[in-house]
Amino acid sequence: MPISYDLNLVALSVLIAILSAYTALDLTERIATAKGWSWMGWLMSGASSFGIGIWSMHFVGMLAFHLTVPISYDFLIVLASVLPAILSSGFALWIASRKTLQIPSLLGASLIMGMGITTMHYTGMAAMRLPAIAHYDLQLVTLSAGIAVMVSLVALWLTHYLHKQAAVIWWQKIGAAALMGIAVPIMHYTGMAAVCFSPIESSSREFSTPDATWLSSLISAATFSILCLALVTSSETKVVDRTKELSLALKQLQQSQLQLIQTEKMSGLGQLVAGVAHEINNPVNFIHGNLRYMQEHSQNLLELVQLYQNYHPDSAAQIQARVDEIDVEFVQKDLPKVLDSIKLGSDRISQIVRSLRNFSRLDETEYKAVDIHDGIDSTLLILQHRLKATPKRTAIQVVKNYAHLPLVECYAGQLNQVFMNILANAIDAIEELKVKETDQDIKDHSNQITICTSAIDAQSMQIAIADNGIGISETIQKRIFDPFFTTKPIGKGTGMGMSISHQIITEKHNGKLECFSTPGKGTQFVIQLPIQQQSSSAV
C-alpha cells in the first residue's frame, strides 16, 4: 500500500523535538541544583515536559503519515503511550543531573530511556485503526530501537556535559538541542518505515480520518504552551536564584571589601608608622649621639668667653656693642638649659619611636611571643591625641592594672588592631555621653578607661578594657559583632571594626571576645587568649 507524508507536519514534529530537547537541557540545570521537595518538583516537571514533548513529536509525526485508506486512532491507547515517555524521561533526567556520571550508569539509563521511547512509539502505532493489516520488518524495528538507545546515550551525555560546565554558551545549548531534536525523529521515522500495510477487502467497520491539520495544531499548541511554561518558570527561578546569589555575593563582596579596606588601612598605618619611625630614628640618633659633644664644646666656648671677659674687661667699643646686643650674659645662662631641653626631647622622641615600631608590626604572618603590654601601650600612644582634653570634655584618664604575664604567642599587629578598635570605641562612647551631659555633669564626672590584664591559668590570660561611657543596650549587645552593624552616623563607622576584631580573636588566635555593658554606666570588653598557640604557623 503506497505511503506518503505531509512534509509540513514532519517539519513541525522536528521543531517540537528540538524545543523539547532544549527544555530538557534547561530543566536539568534546575534539577541538578535543587534539593528536597524542590528537587522532586523540578524532576517531575522535567519528566512531564520532556516526555510530553517526545510524545507530541511522535503523534504529530503519525498524523503526517498518510495511506490510501482512512486512518483513525484509539485515543485511550494514544494517551497511554505518553506514560513510557514520561517515566523514561524522568529516569534519564535524574541520571543526567548527577554530579558524576559513570559509564555503567550512562549505558543503563540510555537503554531504559531508549526502550521507553520505543515502547511509546509502538504503543502509539498500535492505536492506529484502519482497514488494513500491519506487517513489521523486524530488522527495521530492531534498528529503530537501537537508534532510540543511541539517541538516548547522546542526549544523556550532552545533558550531563552541559550542566557540568561553569558557563554554557548559548550556541552550545541550541546546537545540542538541535542534535537531540533531529535524532529523535530519525528513530520515529525509522520505526514508521518498519511497518507496511495490506488492505482488507471487506470490512464492516467504518473508519473516519481525523482532521490532521486541526489535531496537529491543537497538540502542537498545547505542547508549546507546556514547554514554554516550563522554560519561563525555569528562567524566573534562575532570575530569583541569581538575584539571591548576586545579593549574597554583593554582601560578601562588601564585607570582604570593608575587611580589606580595614586591613589595608591598618597595614598602611603600620607601614606609615614604621616608615616615620625609621625616618625619625636616624636623625634622632644623630642628634642624640652628637648632643653630648655639643654640650662639651659649648661649655668650653662659654668658659673661654668667661676667661676673655675676666682678663680683658675693657674691650673695644665695637666688641662691647656686640656683647650688649646679643646679651652674652643671658646666653651663658640659657645655652646649657637649651641643650638640656634638647636632650630631654631627644630621649622622649627615642621612646616614641620604639613604641611606634612596636605598633607597626601589622604584616607579620607567623605567631610570635610578645609582651601584650607593649602592644597596648603602643596603641595608646597612637590614640594619645584623642585622650587629651577638648572644649567639650575633660581629658580621658587611662588606668592600667597590669599583671605579670609571660610572653604570649600571637599576631602582634592584628592584636594591636583589636586594641585600636576597642579603645577607639571606648573614646567614642565617652564623648557620646558628654554630649548628653550638662556642663556641671561634665565637671563632676571624670572620664576614665581602665585596662586590666591577668592570668586565668597557666595556659591562658585575659585583657579587660572598660570605659565609663554611654554604655550599650542589651539589644545592641547581641549584634555588636555582626558585620556591617553600627550605631554610629553614616560616614563615621563601617560596622566592621568589632566584627573583624571578633574574627581576629576567635579565628586567628583561638580565643574569646565578650562584651558586657550597662546603659549609662559603661562597657567592658573582655579578651581571653591562650598563652601558647597550638600551631605556630600562619593561619
Side-chain angles (χ1 to χ4, degrees):
M1 184 179 294
I3 298 173
S4 63
Y5 287 93
D6 185 334
L7 295 182
N8 291 328
L9 294 183
V10 170
L12 179 60
S13 68
V14 174
L15 181 61
I16 293 173
I18 293 175
L19 183 59
S20 300
Y22 185 88
T23 304
L25 291 174
D26 191 78
L27 293 181
T28 303
E29 299 176 15
R30 310 307 312 154
I31 297 170
T33 57
K35 296 180 180 179
W37 288 106
S38 177
W39 174 85
M40 180 61 69
W42 282 114
L43 181 61
M44 293 176 63
S45 174
S48 300
S49 301
F50 192 33
I52 291 174
I54 295 175
W55 172 85
S56 178
M57 178 280 306
H58 160 75
F59 192 66
V60 171
M62 289 182 64
L63 291 174
F65 180 76
H66 293 299
L67 293 171
T68 56
V69 296
I71 304 173
S72 63
Y73 298 92
D74 185 333
F75 284 101
L76 289 178
I77 298 178
V78 170
L79 293 175
S81 67
V82 76
L83 293 177
I86 293 177
L87 294 176
S88 59
S89 297
F91 181 77
L93 291 174
W94 173 56
I95 294 296
S97 63
R98 288 180 173 181
K99 292 183 179 180
T100 58
L101 183 60
Q102 303 296 333
I103 292 179
S105 298
L106 177 63
L107 295 176
S110 301
L111 180 61
I112 292 174
M113 184 177 180
M115 289 301 98
I117 294 174
T118 303
T119 302
M120 174 207 69
H121 174 80
Y122 288 105
T123 301
M125 291 193 68
M128 297 175 68
R129 298 292 182 262
L130 67 164
I133 299 176
H135 304 278
Y136 289 92
D137 185 333
L138 293 181
Q139 290 183 346
L140 289 178
V141 170
T142 304
L143 178 61
S144 67
I147 292 174
V149 173
M150 290 303 299
V151 168
S152 300
L153 178 67
V154 173
L156 286 171
W157 182 83
L158 282 174
T159 304
H160 179 76
Y161 172 79
L162 289 178
H163 99 76
K164 290 292 290 182
Q165 300 301 306
V168 179
I169 305 175
W170 64 269
W171 61 263
Q172 291 179 328
K173 201 170 184 179
I174 293 177
L179 179 61
M180 293 165 57
I182 294 173
V184 172
I186 290 176
M187 174 270 159
H188 169 80
Y189 291 107
T190 302
M192 295 297 292
V195 64
C196 60
F197 295 91
S198 300
I200 299 175
E201 295 298 334
S202 62
S203 175
S204 60
R205 181 178 177 182
E206 294 184 1
F207 299 92
S208 59
T209 302
D211 188 335
T213 302
W214 178 85
L215 189 55
S216 61
S217 299
L218 179 62
I219 293 174
S220 300
T223 303
F224 284 142
S225 298
I226 293 173
L227 296 177
C228 290
L229 178 62
L231 287 174
V232 169
T233 304
S234 175
S235 299
E236 288 181 350
T237 306
K238 283 182 182 179
V239 171
V240 172
D241 291 346
R242 187 60 178 164
T243 302
K244 290 180 180 178
E245 291 176 3
L246 290 175
S247 299
L248 180 60
L250 178 61
K251 186 175 181 179
Q252 292 175 341
L253 179 61
Q254 290 175 335
Q255 182 175 351
S256 299
Q257 183 182 30
L258 288 176
Q259 287 179 340
L260 181 61
I261 291 173
Q262 184 79 356
T263 302
E264 287 297 320
K265 182 170 69 175
M266 295 302 296
S267 178
L269 176 61
Q271 293 175 7
L272 174 63
V273 168
V276 170
H278 176 74
E279 294 299 325
I280 294 176
N281 191 52
N282 288 336
V284 166
N285 285 339
F286 174 80
I287 294 172
H288 195 75
N290 289 284
L291 191 57
R292 180 169 62 87
Y293 302 107
M294 185 176 180
Q295 287 178 313
E296 291 179 0
H297 297 333
S298 61
Q299 185 62 34
N300 292 335
L301 287 174
L302 290 175
E303 290 177 356
L304 178 61
V305 170
Q306 186 63 45
L307 287 173
Y308 181 81
Q309 288 178 335
N310 291 339
Y311 289 98
H312 300 280
D314 299 325
S315 303
Q318 187 176 359
I319 295 176
Q320 187 60 43
R322 183 59 177 168
V323 168
D324 294 338
E325 181 181 354
I326 63 175
D327 197 353
V328 171
E329 183 178 355
F330 173 77
V331 170
Q332 289 174 326
K333 295 178 180 180
D334 191 56
L335 184 56
K337 297 179 181 178
V338 171
L339 294 176
D340 289 339
S341 297
I342 293 175
K343 184 177 184 304
L344 182 63
S346 66
D347 290 340
R348 176 59 178 159
I349 293 175
S350 297
Q351 180 185 357
I352 293 174
V353 167
R354 284 194 297 270
S355 296
L356 291 176
R357 293 177 68 178
N358 179 64
F359 179 83
S360 65
R361 297 179 296 184
L362 294 175
D363 56 351
E364 294 178 348
T365 58
E366 294 183 356
Y367 289 123
K368 289 186 178 179
V370 300
D371 187 343
I372 291 294
H373 300 146
D374 288 343
I376 297 173
D377 292 340
S378 300
T379 306
L380 288 171
L381 177 66
I382 299 297
L383 294 171
Q384 187 64 41
H385 67 288
R386 295 198 60 193
L387 299 173
K388 295 179 179 179
T390 67
K392 295 182 179 181
R393 63 165 173 80
T394 58
I396 299 175
Q397 181 184 6
V398 177
V399 179
K400 304 176 186 177
N401 296 321
Y402 289 169
H404 179 71
L405 297 175
L407 299 181
V408 178
E409 276 192 353
C410 62
Y411 297 114
Q414 293 186 12
L415 277 189
N416 289 343
Q417 183 178 354
V418 175
F419 299 149
M420 173 73 76
N421 289 330
I422 295 176
L423 288 169
N425 284 340
I427 296 172
D428 290 339
I430 291 174
E431 291 179 343
E432 189 174 351
L433 178 63
K434 296 307 169 186
V435 171
K436 300 181 179 181
E437 289 183 342
T438 63
D439 293 339
Q440 187 60 41
D441 291 334
I442 293 175
K443 293 179 181 179
D444 296 340
H445 185 272
S446 62
N447 304 318
Q448 184 171 294
I449 295 176
T450 304
I451 305 174
C452 301
T453 62
S454 59
I456 300 175
D457 50 42
Q459 286 78 37
S460 58
M461 53 81 62
Q462 176 175 291
I463 306 165
I465 302 176
D467 64 71
N468 59 349
I470 195 170
I472 304 173
S473 66
E474 185 176 353
T475 303
I476 296 177
Q477 287 183 54
K478 295 177 180 179
R479 301 186 60 192
I480 193 70
F481 300 120
D482 290 350
F484 303 107
F485 178 76
T486 180
T487 58
K488 297 179 181 179
I490 297 175
K492 190 174 182 181
T494 62
M496 291 303 298
M498 295 313 303
S499 174
I500 293 174
S501 298
H502 188 267
Q503 183 182 17
I504 289 173
I505 296 299
T506 59
E507 297 181 16
K508 300 287 187 179
H509 293 86
N510 304 307
K512 184 187 294 184
L513 175 59
E514 295 179 300
C515 173
F516 305 95
S517 183
T518 302
K521 294 185 178 181
T523 303
Q524 182 184 54
F525 284 93
V526 178
I527 303 170
Q528 294 182 357
L529 294 172
I531 293 175
Q532 187 172 7
Q533 297 292 335
Q534 295 179 354
S535 173
S536 59
S537 60
V539 176

